[in-house]
Amino acid sequence: MTIRRRFLSAAALVPLALLLGASGPVPEALPASPGDVAPATTPGVAPAHAEGTGSAPGVSVGEGTEASAVAPQGAEQAGAAGVVVEPGMVPPSPVPSRLKAPPMAKLQSMPRALDLLARAKLQGERLVVKEKDGHERVLTVDPVLQASLTKILRDYEVPYGAAVVLEPSTGKVLALAEHSAAQPELRGLPYRAVFPAASIFKIVTGSALLEAGVTPSMEECFHGGKRRLTERHLEDSERDGACYSLALAMGKSANVIFAKLTQKHLTADALRHMAARFRFNREIAFPVPMDVSLAAVPDDGFDLANTGAGFGDIYLSPLHGALMASVAANDGRWVDPVLMEPEHGPLLPAEGERVLTPEAAKALTDMLEETVTHGTARAIFRERNFRVDNAVGKTGTLADRAPFRDYSWFVGFAPRDNPRVAVAALIVNDPKWRIRGTWLGREALRLGLERVPAPLEVTAPAASAGTP
């Protein structure tokens, strides 16, 4: 019996002492805000890419920080008062270069006072945080799911890993699992936007292309560009030996196609607008402070196309990744995450803010389904005894060379047509690794669906058939 099957068969029986994912006392004399997780200043990092990659650290900004002294193209003027900038169009702080200053190099633990999950105690079947004034707050986190995912991360001794599960319709957070074998005292990974977004940013680019009139079935031909792009890859050429539809390009994470379509159909402002709608460069309301996921979108040319393919300076937190997947699950609406159970009555589905039209959200879902059926996650989701039917999602990978860090992502939701759970999974591996983000994301979906069963269908008794 493999280690995978040993712990999965016993997942429901794991000790609840593993709930919080804490592996020791949390240092108290650490930065008091996520904004103190400063970008790294160590130069000389030259990543190599297995798929498209994003790359800008998401460092939180404290209150009162000015957005920018320079407005982007298309910003509206507000007279002598200055420039009015649409939220998210300008990064709220400088975006570090992933090649020269990857922020993960200076990742620090979240202070215990801010880490509600680390402070929570199990009361019956719920996790409860008791405040200094005696008031108790019940968390939405499912203790069994939290323990199961934490056990996976620990059993496989991942250097850095996080798995987030939430209910897309309400934003209810069901799991915020994390573990670091490299830094056992580290806490707060689900909220840190210090990880390159990699090909997860293709969700934003794909949405912008849909809005620009590109259909999922529209084909583009290409050659090369699997790991990195050059300007020659963007030229239509006799060397273009393969053609993919936009949907298949999403599933197979075809960098060249996304770069070429960005160059042909998108402006910088179109990509900035869509990134802002998906909450890049914007704060996300949550009881635990979250880093702002930063996205630097160049003005034009090859750099813009490169960013559209996922190779730009763009960073993402795992919790934000699950929320991005939830947009398609919610027919194109953004729903803020929820960590506290309401004191009166159940948590109901939220109205949310419109990000995509229902038609565009359906088209995006069709594209994300290709990842699981014909694309980069096909083998993992077809594994015997561990299948997750009707799942959709997106993978992303990126590797730093010096020091080596292999980032692997999966975000998605299931079931496709009546989503019950949305997930994000991230693992940062050493050269030798045991699991990656796609495998962890599938397990997060599978175990999450077990904890959020499908609603029962109410049918009339047979005896009442034909009764008016």
Side-chain angles (χ1 to χ4, degrees):
M1 182 180 292
T2 65
I3 183 172
R4 180 185 303 172
R5 300 188 187 280
R6 280 202 304 271
F7 81 74
L8 287 175
S9 64
L13 302 177
V14 293
L16 290 179
L18 292 171
L19 288 172
L20 307 181
S23 55
V26 181
E28 299 288 350
L30 289 170
S33 74
D36 290 331
V37 183
T41 57
T42 304
V45 179
H49 312 273
E51 294 183 358
T53 116
S55 54
V59 180
S60 283
V61 181
E63 294 183 4
T65 303
E66 296 182 358
S68 176
V70 181
Q73 293 179 343
E76 297 180 2
Q77 296 292 329
V83 177
V84 175
V85 179
E86 181 179 331
M89 289 290 284
V90 175
S93 62
V95 182
S97 166
R98 65 179 173 82
L99 298 176
K100 298 178 181 179
M104 188 172 170
K106 291 194 174 180
L107 180 63
Q108 298 185 54
S109 188
M110 172 172 284
R112 187 179 181 84
L114 300 177
D115 191 349
L116 294 180
L117 195 55
R119 293 165 45 205
K121 304 295 183 184
L122 188 66
Q123 293 186 11
E125 297 181 353
R126 308 311 303 267
L127 289 169
V128 179
V129 175
K130 188 173 184 178
E131 300 295 351
K132 292 181 179 179
D133 60 3
H135 182 66
E136 293 186 343
R137 295 190 288 179
V138 179
L139 303 187
T140 59
V141 171
D142 181 305
V144 174
L145 181 59
Q146 175 76 10
S148 298
L149 291 173
T150 300
K151 188 176 190 302
I152 290 175
L153 294 169
R154 287 182 167 180
D155 282 359
Y156 280 103
E157 299 177 335
V158 299
Y160 301 90
V164 176
V165 183
L166 54 82
E167 184 179 67
S169 63
T170 62
K172 178 187 292 188
V173 176
L174 302 175
L176 291 163
E178 62 177 304
H179 177 67
S180 173
Q183 294 179 252
E185 78 288 351
L186 193 62
R187 292 284 301 172
L189 291 175
Y191 323 109
R192 296 304 198 202
V194 297
F195 311 106
S199 287
I200 304 304
F201 194 70
K202 286 187 173 78
I203 293 175
V204 173
T205 307
S207 298
L209 288 169
L210 291 171
E211 193 167 89
V214 180
T215 65
S217 60
M218 183 179 293
E219 287 194 343
E220 185 73 32
C221 300
F222 70 102
H223 68 277
K226 182 177 181 180
R227 296 184 181 277
R228 53 177 50 83
L229 298 176
T230 67
E231 294 189 52
R232 294 187 63 182
H233 287 125
L234 305 188
E235 300 172 0
D236 292 330
S237 164
E238 294 180 354
R239 298 179 62 191
D240 291 344
C243 300
Y244 288 171
S245 66
L246 175 60
L248 187 58
M250 179 73 82
K252 291 185 175 293
S253 208
N255 299 316
V256 181
I257 289 182
F258 272 82
K260 292 178 76 171
L261 292 177
T262 297
Q263 185 180 64
K264 293 179 179 181
H265 299 282
L266 297 180
T267 64
D269 275 353
L271 197 55
R272 288 180 185 129
H273 275 291
M274 190 58 69
R277 289 190 215 168
F278 275 92
R279 294 310 193 273
F280 283 90
N281 298 327
R282 299 171 64 180
E283 293 184 359
I284 297 173
F286 197 61
V288 179
M290 291 178 60
D291 289 354
V292 173
S293 295
L294 299 181
V297 178
D299 287 328
D300 50 34
F302 175 74
D303 289 340
L304 175 61
N306 205 39
T307 298
F311 287 94
D313 286 334
I314 300 163
Y315 283 69
L316 181 67
S317 69
L319 179 51
H320 190 178
L323 294 166
M324 288 179 64
S326 295
V327 170
N330 288 327
D331 293 324
R333 293 188 178 274
W334 174 273
V335 174
D336 281 328
V338 175
L339 187 60
M340 305 296 179
E341 292 283 4
E343 295 186 2
H344 304 287
L347 184 62
L348 300 176
E351 178 65 23
E353 179 182 318
R354 175 66 63 190
V355 174
L356 302 171
T357 65
E359 295 76 17
K362 181 182 182 303
L364 177 61
T365 299
D366 291 341
M367 292 158 61
L368 296 176
E369 188 175 26
E370 289 288 326
T371 300
V372 173
T373 56
H374 299 97
T376 53
R378 180 177 182 271
I380 293 295
F381 276 80
R382 289 171 60 88
E383 188 175 356
R384 184 178 298 178
N385 299 326
F386 295 93
R387 295 176 64 104
V388 178
D389 294 327
N390 301 313
V392 306
K394 185 71 193 80
T395 61
T397 62
L398 162 71
D400 291 345
R401 289 179 179 169
F404 183 88
R405 301 185 191 97
D406 176 72
Y407 305 89
S408 62
W409 283 96
F410 178 85
V411 305
F413 61 88
R416 178 212 146 98
D417 295 323
N418 295 288
R420 304 202 308 271
V421 294
V423 308
L426 167 77
I427 293 182
V428 185
N429 275 316
D430 295 327
K432 294 183 178 180
W433 53 270
R434 302 176 72 184
I435 59 171
R436 304 188 80 218
T438 303
W439 189 91
L440 178 62
R442 185 205 64 194
E443 289 305 287
L445 281 175
R446 189 177 67 82
L447 296 172
L449 289 170
E450 290 179 359
R451 299 298 298 170
V452 185
L456 296 176
E457 293 186 9
V458 179
T459 58
S464 66
T467 303

